[in-house]
Amino acid sequence: PTTSNMEQSCGIAQTQFILYRTNSLFRDKTLEERNSSLRVATPVISAQVGNLRTVSLAEQSAQMSFAVDFPNITDQDNLTFYCSFWDFQKSGWNTSGCSTGEQSNHSRVVCECDHLTNFAVLVSRSLLTSTNPPSIA
């Protein structure tokens, strides 16, 4: 049997995670054109099951979660973080189906999404002056 048939009959699936160190493949022209203060503050994380580009987890009551630490950020920085995914149809970042988890604070962002695709945390421009880049947990 083919891999997808075997996955279906056994109830297993190959899962892949890719960490993009640069976001050059994920340039949101809408944000750039609007001169938005939002910027991608983290490496892009890609999550795939099998050979599917986007998988909805809502039907299975499952979530994709990841945490990002910003060690040099204080609560006085007044930054707002947005958990987002790359929307292939819009060629831009989208927050639908993603939220900031309850365990988030001023220096740690926990993202929870109800689908699999490419993820990043968006934040105001002032974070980009930090000397230490964020780390993904």
Side-chain angles (χ1 to χ4, degrees):
T2 64
T3 303
S4 60
N5 288 342
M6 187 167 31
E7 288 175 352
Q8 290 175 358
S9 65
C10 296
I12 59 170
Q14 179 182 9
T15 304
Q16 297 176 333
F17 293 94
I18 299 170
L19 180 67
Y20 293 90
R21 297 232 178 250
T22 177
N23 63 2
S24 61
L25 295 174
F26 304 95
R27 291 190 59 205
D28 189 332
K29 292 187 188 324
T30 303
L31 290 179
E32 293 172 7
E33 290 169 0
R34 288 187 305 189
N35 198 21
S36 173
S37 64
L38 289 176
R39 293 290 182 260
V40 177
T42 62
V44 176
I45 303 169
S46 177
Q48 289 182 302
V49 174
N51 60 359
L52 302 174
R53 181 179 284 179
T54 305
V55 175
S56 173
L57 300 175
E59 295 170 3
Q60 289 81 25
S61 298
Q63 279 187 325
M64 161 66 177
S65 295
F66 62 95
V68 181
D69 291 321
F70 297 91
N72 293 332
I73 301 300
T74 68
D75 55 354
Q76 286 85 28
D77 289 320
N78 292 323
L79 300 175
T80 303
F81 297 100
Y82 300 92
C83 298
S84 61
F85 74 97
W86 183 255
D87 188 329
F88 285 97
Q89 292 177 336
K90 296 179 180 179
S91 294
W93 294 103
N94 189 332
T95 58
S96 298
C98 291
S99 62
T100 305
E102 292 179 15
Q103 298 89 4
S104 297
N105 58 41
H106 65 271
S107 64
R108 182 177 183 87
V109 178
V110 178
C111 293
E112 299 170 346
C113 298
D114 64 5
H115 56 278
L116 299 179
T117 184
N118 300 299
F119 304 98
V121 175
L122 302 182
V123 70
S124 65
R125 195 185 311 250
S126 60
L127 174 67
L128 300 179
T129 60
S130 172
T131 56
N132 290 339
S135 62
I136 296 200

